Amino acid sequence: MTPYNTPPELFSGIGCALSVFLASVGACWASIPSGVYATHSNDGIKGFAAIIISGVLAIYGIIVAAVIVNRLNTGAELTSVEGYMHLSAGLCVGLACLASGGAIAGFVDRHMSTSIKLEAPARRADAENEQTTPLLPSNPVEPLWFETSSQFLLVLVFIEAVGLYGLIAALLLVHYVKAI
């Protein structure tokens, strides 16, 4: 028990919940512009790579939560240091994936804003001749400031590496606890 009679399992559980929640929020944040890019891309199947990279962020949070839960299920008595380390591990991967998801969203959104020329909405001349405009532009994405889709994917991979670094740090935190 901690000095304030808070069980360390509570901190471990909060660490699990935060790792899954924050990593999933980061993945969702990155998936929105990535999905729009994929539907308007001329890159074929390469256009969906941004969505796949975004989804990997959520998997990082699940990995850390599974490792923490596995540590809880060993039946050993947890110390307060272990509970705090599990909380720190969950925050580490969760915040890293959240930051990575925000960076991916900003990068893909910026790429689309320079690549897609939005058309002004059509005006109605009269009620009989009503024209509706699509919510998303219908013209495909043409890379303007990236010469190839390989350069675009390379930047996405390096942005996603921030989440991977958070995963590595979180796994080190969880396994460092076993050494104590």
Side-chain angles (χ1 to χ4, degrees), residues 2-67:
T2 61
Y4 301 107
N5 291 332
T6 306
E9 291 84 8
L10 175 67
F11 295 117
S12 297
I14 292 172
C16 287
L18 285 174
S19 70
V20 172
F21 176 74
L22 292 173
S24 297
V25 168
C28 290
W29 190 4
S31 293
I32 294 168
S34 298
V36 173
Y37 174 78
T39 57
H40 291 86
S41 174
N42 280 339
D43 294 337
I45 197 70
K46 287 183 183 179
F48 288 95
I51 295 175
I52 295 168
I53 290 172
S54 301
V56 169
L57 296 175
I59 294 172
Y60 292 162
I62 293 171
I63 290 171
V64 171
V67 170

Short mmCIF file of all heavy atoms in Angstrom, two decimals, residues 2-67:
data_model
loop_
_atom_site.label_atom_id
_atom_site.label_comp_id
_atom_site.label_asym_id
_atom_site.label_seq_id
_atom_site.Cartn_x
_atom_site.Cartn_y
_atom_site.Cartn_z
N THR A 2 0.37 2.26 -0.62
CA THR A 2 1.08 3.53 -0.66
C THR A 2 0.89 4.26 0.67
O THR A 2 0.05 3.87 1.48
CB THR A 2 0.56 4.41 -1.82
OG1 THR A 2 -0.81 4.67 -1.60
CG2 THR A 2 0.77 3.73 -3.15
N PRO A 3 1.64 5.32 0.90
CA PRO A 3 1.48 6.05 2.17
C PRO A 3 0.06 6.57 2.39
O PRO A 3 -0.34 6.79 3.51
CB PRO A 3 2.47 7.21 2.05
CG PRO A 3 3.45 6.78 1.02
CD PRO A 3 2.74 5.84 0.11
N TYR A 4 -0.69 6.77 1.34
CA TYR A 4 -2.05 7.29 1.46
C TYR A 4 -3.08 6.18 1.35
O TYR A 4 -4.24 6.43 1.06
CB TYR A 4 -2.30 8.36 0.40
CG TYR A 4 -1.33 9.51 0.52
CD1 TYR A 4 -0.32 9.66 -0.41
CD2 TYR A 4 -1.41 10.41 1.57
CE1 TYR A 4 0.59 10.71 -0.31
CE2 TYR A 4 -0.50 11.45 1.68
CZ TYR A 4 0.49 11.59 0.75
OH TYR A 4 1.39 12.61 0.85
N ASN A 5 -2.66 4.95 1.56
CA ASN A 5 -3.53 3.77 1.51
C ASN A 5 -4.23 3.60 0.17
O ASN A 5 -5.38 3.16 0.11
CB ASN A 5 -4.55 3.79 2.65
CG ASN A 5 -3.90 3.58 4.00
OD1 ASN A 5 -2.86 2.93 4.08
ND2 ASN A 5 -4.49 4.12 5.03
N THR A 6 -3.57 3.99 -0.88
CA THR A 6 -4.10 3.77 -2.23
C THR A 6 -3.44 2.51 -2.77
O THR A 6 -2.20 2.44 -2.81
CB THR A 6 -3.78 4.96 -3.14
OG1 THR A 6 -4.26 6.15 -2.52
CG2 THR A 6 -4.43 4.79 -4.49
N PRO A 7 -4.23 1.54 -3.18
CA PRO A 7 -3.61 0.30 -3.67
C PRO A 7 -2.85 0.53 -4.97
O PRO A 7 -3.31 1.28 -5.85
CB PRO A 7 -4.80 -0.64 -3.88
CG PRO A 7 -5.99 0.24 -3.95
CD PRO A 7 -5.68 1.48 -3.18
N PRO A 8 -1.68 -0.06 -5.14
CA PRO A 8 -0.89 0.13 -6.36
C PRO A 8 -1.59 -0.45 -7.60
O PRO A 8 -1.30 -0.03 -8.71
CB PRO A 8 0.43 -0.57 -6.07
CG PRO A 8 0.18 -1.44 -4.91
CD PRO A 8 -0.98 -0.89 -4.16
N GLU A 9 -2.51 -1.38 -7.39
CA GLU A 9 -3.26 -1.93 -8.52
C GLU A 9 -4.11 -0.85 -9.20
O GLU A 9 -4.37 -0.92 -10.39
CB GLU A 9 -4.15 -3.09 -8.07
CG GLU A 9 -3.41 -4.33 -7.65
CD GLU A 9 -2.93 -4.30 -6.21
OE1 GLU A 9 -3.29 -3.37 -5.46
OE2 GLU A 9 -2.16 -5.20 -5.84
N LEU A 10 -4.53 0.13 -8.41
CA LEU A 10 -5.30 1.24 -8.97
C LEU A 10 -4.45 2.03 -9.97
O LEU A 10 -4.90 2.34 -11.08
CB LEU A 10 -5.80 2.18 -7.86
CG LEU A 10 -6.51 3.45 -8.33
CD1 LEU A 10 -7.83 3.09 -9.02
CD2 LEU A 10 -6.73 4.39 -7.18
N PHE A 11 -3.20 2.32 -9.60
CA PHE A 11 -2.32 3.04 -10.50
C PHE A 11 -2.00 2.21 -11.75
O PHE A 11 -1.89 2.75 -12.85
CB PHE A 11 -1.05 3.46 -9.78
CG PHE A 11 -1.28 4.45 -8.68
CD1 PHE A 11 -1.00 4.13 -7.37
CD2 PHE A 11 -1.80 5.70 -8.96
CE1 PHE A 11 -1.22 5.03 -6.36
CE2 PHE A 11 -2.04 6.61 -7.95
CZ PHE A 11 -1.74 6.28 -6.64
N SER A 12 -1.85 0.92 -11.56
CA SER A 12 -1.60 0.04 -12.72
C SER A 12 -2.81 0.03 -13.65
O SER A 12 -2.66 0.10 -14.87
CB SER A 12 -1.29 -1.37 -12.25
OG SER A 12 -0.12 -1.41 -11.50
N GLY A 13 -3.99 -0.03 -13.08
CA GLY A 13 -5.20 0.00 -13.91
C GLY A 13 -5.39 1.32 -14.63
O GLY A 13 -5.79 1.35 -15.80
N ILE A 14 -5.08 2.42 -13.96
CA ILE A 14 -5.16 3.72 -14.62
C ILE A 14 -4.13 3.81 -15.74
O ILE A 14 -4.40 4.36 -16.81
CB ILE A 14 -4.99 4.86 -13.59
CG1 ILE A 14 -6.19 4.91 -12.64
CG2 ILE A 14 -4.82 6.20 -14.28
CD1 ILE A 14 -6.02 5.87 -11.48
N GLY A 15 -2.94 3.24 -15.51
CA GLY A 15 -1.92 3.22 -16.56
C GLY A 15 -2.39 2.44 -17.78
O GLY A 15 -2.16 2.86 -18.91
N CYS A 16 -3.06 1.30 -17.54
CA CYS A 16 -3.61 0.51 -18.66
C CYS A 16 -4.66 1.32 -19.42
O CYS A 16 -4.65 1.38 -20.65
CB CYS A 16 -4.27 -0.76 -18.14
SG CYS A 16 -3.15 -2.01 -17.60
N ALA A 17 -5.57 1.92 -18.67
CA ALA A 17 -6.65 2.68 -19.31
C ALA A 17 -6.11 3.87 -20.08
O ALA A 17 -6.55 4.14 -21.21
CB ALA A 17 -7.65 3.14 -18.25
N LEU A 18 -5.15 4.58 -19.52
CA LEU A 18 -4.60 5.75 -20.21
C LEU A 18 -3.81 5.36 -21.45
O LEU A 18 -3.84 6.07 -22.45
CB LEU A 18 -3.71 6.56 -19.26
CG LEU A 18 -4.45 7.40 -18.22
CD1 LEU A 18 -3.46 8.05 -17.26
CD2 LEU A 18 -5.32 8.44 -18.89
N SER A 19 -3.11 4.23 -21.39
CA SER A 19 -2.35 3.82 -22.57
C SER A 19 -3.28 3.51 -23.74
O SER A 19 -3.04 3.95 -24.86
CB SER A 19 -1.45 2.62 -22.26
OG SER A 19 -2.20 1.46 -22.05
N VAL A 20 -4.36 2.79 -23.46
CA VAL A 20 -5.30 2.45 -24.53
C VAL A 20 -6.06 3.69 -24.99
O VAL A 20 -6.21 3.94 -26.19
CB VAL A 20 -6.28 1.35 -24.07
CG1 VAL A 20 -7.37 1.12 -25.08
CG2 VAL A 20 -5.53 0.05 -23.82
N PHE A 21 -6.55 4.49 -24.05
CA PHE A 21 -7.37 5.65 -24.41
C PHE A 21 -6.57 6.69 -25.20
O PHE A 21 -6.99 7.13 -26.27
CB PHE A 21 -7.97 6.29 -23.15
CG PHE A 21 -8.75 7.53 -23.43
CD1 PHE A 21 -10.00 7.47 -24.03
CD2 PHE A 21 -8.23 8.79 -23.13
CE1 PHE A 21 -10.72 8.62 -24.31
CE2 PHE A 21 -8.93 9.94 -23.40
CZ PHE A 21 -10.18 9.86 -23.99
N LEU A 22 -5.44 7.12 -24.67
CA LEU A 22 -4.67 8.18 -25.33
C LEU A 22 -4.11 7.71 -26.67
O LEU A 22 -4.09 8.48 -27.64
CB LEU A 22 -3.55 8.67 -24.42
CG LEU A 22 -4.00 9.44 -23.17
CD1 LEU A 22 -2.81 9.73 -22.27
CD2 LEU A 22 -4.74 10.70 -23.54
N ALA A 23 -3.66 6.47 -26.75
CA ALA A 23 -3.15 5.96 -28.02
C ALA A 23 -4.28 5.86 -29.05
O ALA A 23 -4.07 6.16 -30.23
CB ALA A 23 -2.49 4.60 -27.82
N SER A 24 -5.47 5.47 -28.61
CA SER A 24 -6.60 5.38 -29.54
C SER A 24 -7.06 6.76 -29.99
O SER A 24 -7.44 6.93 -31.15
CB SER A 24 -7.76 4.64 -28.88
OG SER A 24 -7.38 3.32 -28.57
N VAL A 25 -7.03 7.74 -29.12
CA VAL A 25 -7.38 9.11 -29.51
C VAL A 25 -6.38 9.62 -30.55
O VAL A 25 -6.76 10.23 -31.55
CB VAL A 25 -7.45 10.05 -28.29
CG1 VAL A 25 -7.53 11.50 -28.71
CG2 VAL A 25 -8.64 9.69 -27.42
N GLY A 26 -5.10 9.34 -30.34
CA GLY A 26 -4.10 9.73 -31.33
C GLY A 26 -4.30 9.04 -32.66
O GLY A 26 -4.17 9.66 -33.72
N ALA A 27 -4.66 7.75 -32.62
CA ALA A 27 -4.92 7.02 -33.87
C ALA A 27 -6.15 7.57 -34.58
O ALA A 27 -6.15 7.71 -35.82
CB ALA A 27 -5.09 5.54 -33.57
N CYS A 28 -7.20 7.89 -33.83
CA CYS A 28 -8.41 8.45 -34.46
C CYS A 28 -8.14 9.82 -35.04
O CYS A 28 -8.61 10.14 -36.13
CB CYS A 28 -9.53 8.54 -33.43
SG CYS A 28 -10.18 6.95 -32.95
N TRP A 29 -7.38 10.62 -34.33
CA TRP A 29 -7.04 11.97 -34.78
C TRP A 29 -6.28 11.90 -36.11
O TRP A 29 -6.53 12.67 -37.03
CB TRP A 29 -6.20 12.63 -33.71
CG TRP A 29 -5.92 14.09 -33.87
CD1 TRP A 29 -6.39 14.94 -34.84
CD2 TRP A 29 -5.12 14.89 -33.01
NE1 TRP A 29 -5.91 16.20 -34.63
CE2 TRP A 29 -5.12 16.19 -33.51
CE3 TRP A 29 -4.38 14.62 -31.87
CZ2 TRP A 29 -4.42 17.23 -32.91
CZ3 TRP A 29 -3.70 15.65 -31.27
CH2 TRP A 29 -3.72 16.94 -31.79
N ALA A 30 -5.37 10.93 -36.23
CA ALA A 30 -4.60 10.79 -37.46
C ALA A 30 -5.41 10.14 -38.57
O ALA A 30 -5.16 10.38 -39.76
CB ALA A 30 -3.34 9.98 -37.19
N SER A 31 -6.38 9.31 -38.22
CA SER A 31 -7.15 8.57 -39.23
C SER A 31 -8.11 9.45 -40.02
O SER A 31 -8.43 9.13 -41.17
CB SER A 31 -7.94 7.44 -38.57
OG SER A 31 -7.06 6.48 -38.06
N ILE A 32 -8.57 10.53 -39.44
CA ILE A 32 -9.55 11.38 -40.13
C ILE A 32 -8.96 11.99 -41.40
O ILE A 32 -9.48 11.74 -42.50
CB ILE A 32 -10.11 12.44 -39.17
CG1 ILE A 32 -10.91 11.78 -38.06
CG2 ILE A 32 -10.97 13.44 -39.93
CD1 ILE A 32 -11.27 12.70 -36.92
N PRO A 33 -7.88 12.77 -41.33
CA PRO A 33 -7.35 13.29 -42.59
C PRO A 33 -6.72 12.22 -43.47
O PRO A 33 -6.70 12.34 -44.69
CB PRO A 33 -6.31 14.32 -42.16
CG PRO A 33 -5.97 13.99 -40.77
CD PRO A 33 -7.16 13.31 -40.19
N SER A 34 -6.23 11.14 -42.85
CA SER A 34 -5.66 10.04 -43.65
C SER A 34 -6.72 9.36 -44.48
O SER A 34 -6.47 8.97 -45.63
CB SER A 34 -4.98 9.02 -42.73
OG SER A 34 -3.93 9.61 -42.02
N GLY A 35 -7.92 9.21 -43.94
CA GLY A 35 -9.02 8.63 -44.70
C GLY A 35 -9.46 9.52 -45.85
O GLY A 35 -9.76 9.03 -46.95
N VAL A 36 -9.50 10.81 -45.59
CA VAL A 36 -9.86 11.75 -46.67
C VAL A 36 -8.79 11.70 -47.76
O VAL A 36 -9.10 11.68 -48.95
CB VAL A 36 -10.03 13.17 -46.11
CG1 VAL A 36 -10.22 14.18 -47.23
CG2 VAL A 36 -11.19 13.22 -45.13
N TYR A 37 -7.53 11.64 -47.35
CA TYR A 37 -6.45 11.56 -48.33
C TYR A 37 -6.56 10.28 -49.15
O TYR A 37 -6.37 10.28 -50.36
CB TYR A 37 -5.09 11.62 -47.63
CG TYR A 37 -3.93 11.40 -48.57
CD1 TYR A 37 -3.49 12.42 -49.40
CD2 TYR A 37 -3.28 10.17 -48.64
CE1 TYR A 37 -2.44 12.22 -50.26
CE2 TYR A 37 -2.23 9.97 -49.49
CZ TYR A 37 -1.81 10.99 -50.31
OH TYR A 37 -0.77 10.80 -51.18
N ALA A 38 -6.87 9.17 -48.49
CA ALA A 38 -6.94 7.88 -49.19
C ALA A 38 -8.07 7.85 -50.21
O ALA A 38 -7.92 7.27 -51.29
CB ALA A 38 -7.12 6.75 -48.19
N THR A 39 -9.18 8.50 -49.89
CA THR A 39 -10.31 8.48 -50.83
C THR A 39 -10.11 9.40 -52.01
O THR A 39 -10.77 9.25 -53.03
CB THR A 39 -11.62 8.85 -50.11
OG1 THR A 39 -11.47 10.13 -49.50
CG2 THR A 39 -11.99 7.81 -49.08
N HIS A 40 -9.20 10.36 -51.91
CA HIS A 40 -8.99 11.31 -52.98
C HIS A 40 -7.59 11.22 -53.59
O HIS A 40 -7.15 12.13 -54.27
CB HIS A 40 -9.22 12.74 -52.48
CG HIS A 40 -10.65 12.98 -52.18
ND1 HIS A 40 -11.20 12.67 -50.96
CD2 HIS A 40 -11.65 13.47 -52.93
CE1 HIS A 40 -12.48 12.97 -50.97
NE2 HIS A 40 -12.79 13.46 -52.15
N SER A 41 -6.92 10.13 -53.35
CA SER A 41 -5.55 9.99 -53.80
C SER A 41 -5.47 9.25 -55.13
O SER A 41 -6.28 8.39 -55.42
CB SER A 41 -4.75 9.22 -52.74
OG SER A 41 -3.46 8.95 -53.20
N ASN A 42 -4.47 9.61 -55.91
CA ASN A 42 -4.17 8.88 -57.15
C ASN A 42 -3.14 7.79 -56.92
O ASN A 42 -2.70 7.15 -57.86
CB ASN A 42 -3.62 9.84 -58.21
CG ASN A 42 -4.71 10.61 -58.90
OD1 ASN A 42 -5.87 10.21 -58.88
ND2 ASN A 42 -4.34 11.74 -59.48
N ASP A 43 -2.73 7.58 -55.69
CA ASP A 43 -1.65 6.66 -55.38
C ASP A 43 -2.08 5.21 -55.33
O ASP A 43 -1.25 4.35 -55.07
CB ASP A 43 -1.00 7.03 -54.05
CG ASP A 43 -0.30 8.36 -54.09
OD1 ASP A 43 0.07 8.79 -55.20
OD2 ASP A 43 -0.12 8.97 -53.03
N GLY A 44 -3.34 4.91 -55.53
CA GLY A 44 -3.81 3.53 -55.45
C GLY A 44 -3.75 3.03 -54.03
O GLY A 44 -4.16 3.69 -53.08
N ILE A 45 -3.19 1.84 -53.87
CA ILE A 45 -3.14 1.23 -52.54
C ILE A 45 -2.17 1.97 -51.62
O ILE A 45 -2.30 1.92 -50.41
CB ILE A 45 -2.77 -0.27 -52.66
CG1 ILE A 45 -3.10 -1.03 -51.37
CG2 ILE A 45 -1.31 -0.44 -53.02
CD1 ILE A 45 -4.55 -1.19 -51.13
N LYS A 46 -1.20 2.70 -52.19
CA LYS A 46 -0.28 3.47 -51.36
C LYS A 46 -0.99 4.60 -50.61
O LYS A 46 -0.52 5.06 -49.58
CB LYS A 46 0.84 4.06 -52.21
CG LYS A 46 1.85 3.07 -52.68
CD LYS A 46 2.94 3.77 -53.46
CE LYS A 46 3.93 2.78 -54.01
NZ LYS A 46 4.99 3.46 -54.78
N GLY A 47 -2.12 5.03 -51.12
CA GLY A 47 -2.88 6.07 -50.45
C GLY A 47 -3.44 5.62 -49.11
O GLY A 47 -3.73 6.44 -48.24
N PHE A 48 -3.60 4.31 -48.92
CA PHE A 48 -4.13 3.78 -47.67
C PHE A 48 -3.05 3.56 -46.63
O PHE A 48 -3.35 3.19 -45.50
CB PHE A 48 -4.89 2.48 -47.93
CG PHE A 48 -6.19 2.71 -48.63
CD1 PHE A 48 -6.29 2.62 -50.00
CD2 PHE A 48 -7.32 3.04 -47.91
CE1 PHE A 48 -7.48 2.85 -50.65
CE2 PHE A 48 -8.52 3.28 -48.54
CZ PHE A 48 -8.61 3.18 -49.91
N ALA A 49 -1.79 3.77 -46.97
CA ALA A 49 -0.70 3.56 -46.01
C ALA A 49 -0.82 4.52 -44.83
O ALA A 49 -0.48 4.15 -43.70
CB ALA A 49 0.63 3.72 -46.71
N ALA A 50 -1.31 5.72 -45.06
CA ALA A 50 -1.45 6.68 -43.96
C ALA A 50 -2.46 6.18 -42.93
O ALA A 50 -2.27 6.39 -41.72
CB ALA A 50 -1.86 8.04 -44.50
N ILE A 51 -3.52 5.52 -43.39
CA ILE A 51 -4.50 4.97 -42.45
C ILE A 51 -3.90 3.82 -41.65
O ILE A 51 -4.12 3.69 -40.45
CB ILE A 51 -5.77 4.51 -43.20
CG1 ILE A 51 -6.46 5.70 -43.82
CG2 ILE A 51 -6.72 3.77 -42.28
CD1 ILE A 51 -7.64 5.34 -44.67
N ILE A 52 -3.13 2.98 -42.33
CA ILE A 52 -2.50 1.84 -41.64
C ILE A 52 -1.51 2.33 -40.60
O ILE A 52 -1.48 1.84 -39.47
CB ILE A 52 -1.82 0.92 -42.67
CG1 ILE A 52 -2.88 0.31 -43.58
CG2 ILE A 52 -0.99 -0.16 -41.98
CD1 ILE A 52 -2.33 -0.38 -44.81
N ILE A 53 -0.71 3.33 -40.96
CA ILE A 53 0.24 3.89 -40.00
C ILE A 53 -0.49 4.51 -38.82
O ILE A 53 -0.06 4.39 -37.67
CB ILE A 53 1.16 4.91 -40.71
CG1 ILE A 53 2.11 4.19 -41.66
CG2 ILE A 53 1.94 5.75 -39.71
CD1 ILE A 53 2.92 5.09 -42.55
N SER A 54 -1.62 5.13 -39.07
CA SER A 54 -2.41 5.72 -37.99
C SER A 54 -2.95 4.65 -37.05
O SER A 54 -2.97 4.83 -35.83
CB SER A 54 -3.57 6.53 -38.56
OG SER A 54 -3.11 7.55 -39.39
N GLY A 55 -3.41 3.54 -37.61
CA GLY A 55 -3.96 2.47 -36.79
C GLY A 55 -2.93 1.78 -35.92
O GLY A 55 -3.26 1.24 -34.86
N VAL A 56 -1.68 1.79 -36.34
CA VAL A 56 -0.62 1.16 -35.56
C VAL A 56 -0.46 1.86 -34.22
O VAL A 56 -0.10 1.22 -33.22
CB VAL A 56 0.69 1.15 -36.38
CG1 VAL A 56 1.88 0.77 -35.54
CG2 VAL A 56 0.56 0.21 -37.56
N LEU A 57 -0.75 3.14 -34.17
CA LEU A 57 -0.62 3.88 -32.91
C LEU A 57 -1.51 3.28 -31.82
O LEU A 57 -1.10 3.20 -30.66
CB LEU A 57 -0.95 5.35 -33.12
CG LEU A 57 -0.01 6.12 -34.05
CD1 LEU A 57 -0.53 7.54 -34.26
CD2 LEU A 57 1.39 6.15 -33.50
N ALA A 58 -2.72 2.88 -32.17
CA ALA A 58 -3.62 2.28 -31.18
C ALA A 58 -3.08 0.93 -30.71
O ALA A 58 -3.25 0.56 -29.54
CB ALA A 58 -5.02 2.12 -31.76
N ILE A 59 -2.43 0.22 -31.60
CA ILE A 59 -1.88 -1.09 -31.23
C ILE A 59 -0.78 -0.94 -30.19
O ILE A 59 -0.64 -1.77 -29.29
CB ILE A 59 -1.38 -1.82 -32.49
CG1 ILE A 59 -2.57 -2.15 -33.39
CG2 ILE A 59 -0.61 -3.08 -32.14
CD1 ILE A 59 -2.20 -2.68 -34.74
N TYR A 60 0.00 0.15 -30.28
CA TYR A 60 1.04 0.38 -29.28
C TYR A 60 0.44 0.50 -27.88
O TYR A 60 0.99 -0.03 -26.91
CB TYR A 60 1.83 1.65 -29.60
CG TYR A 60 2.67 1.58 -30.85
CD1 TYR A 60 3.13 2.73 -31.46
CD2 TYR A 60 3.02 0.37 -31.43
CE1 TYR A 60 3.91 2.69 -32.60
CE2 TYR A 60 3.80 0.31 -32.58
CZ TYR A 60 4.24 1.48 -33.15
OH TYR A 60 5.01 1.44 -34.27
N GLY A 61 -0.66 1.20 -27.75
CA GLY A 61 -1.31 1.32 -26.45
C GLY A 61 -1.84 0.00 -25.94
O GLY A 61 -1.75 -0.30 -24.74
N ILE A 62 -2.37 -0.82 -26.84
CA ILE A 62 -2.88 -2.13 -26.44
C ILE A 62 -1.74 -3.04 -25.98
O ILE A 62 -1.89 -3.81 -25.02
CB ILE A 62 -3.67 -2.77 -27.60
CG1 ILE A 62 -4.94 -1.95 -27.85
CG2 ILE A 62 -4.01 -4.21 -27.31
CD1 ILE A 62 -5.68 -2.35 -29.09
N ILE A 63 -0.59 -2.94 -26.63
CA ILE A 63 0.57 -3.76 -26.23
C ILE A 63 0.98 -3.45 -24.80
O ILE A 63 1.18 -4.35 -23.98
CB ILE A 63 1.74 -3.55 -27.21
CG1 ILE A 63 1.42 -4.17 -28.57
CG2 ILE A 63 3.04 -4.12 -26.65
CD1 ILE A 63 2.41 -3.83 -29.66
N VAL A 64 1.09 -2.17 -24.50
CA VAL A 64 1.51 -1.79 -23.14
C VAL A 64 0.46 -2.20 -22.11
O VAL A 64 0.79 -2.70 -21.04
CB VAL A 64 1.82 -0.28 -23.07
CG1 VAL A 64 2.04 0.18 -21.65
CG2 VAL A 64 3.04 0.03 -23.91
N ALA A 65 -0.81 -2.02 -22.44
CA ALA A 65 -1.86 -2.44 -21.51
C ALA A 65 -1.81 -3.94 -21.27
O ALA A 65 -1.99 -4.40 -20.13
CB ALA A 65 -3.23 -2.03 -22.05
N ALA A 66 -1.56 -4.71 -22.32
CA ALA A 66 -1.48 -6.17 -22.16
C ALA A 66 -0.29 -6.57 -21.29
O ALA A 66 -0.40 -7.49 -20.47
CB ALA A 66 -1.39 -6.83 -23.53
N VAL A 67 0.82 -5.89 -21.44
CA VAL A 67 1.99 -6.20 -20.61
C VAL A 67 1.72 -5.86 -19.15
O VAL A 67 2.07 -6.64 -18.25
CB VAL A 67 3.24 -5.44 -21.15
CG1 VAL A 67 4.40 -5.54 -20.18
CG2 VAL A 67 3.63 -5.97 -22.51
#
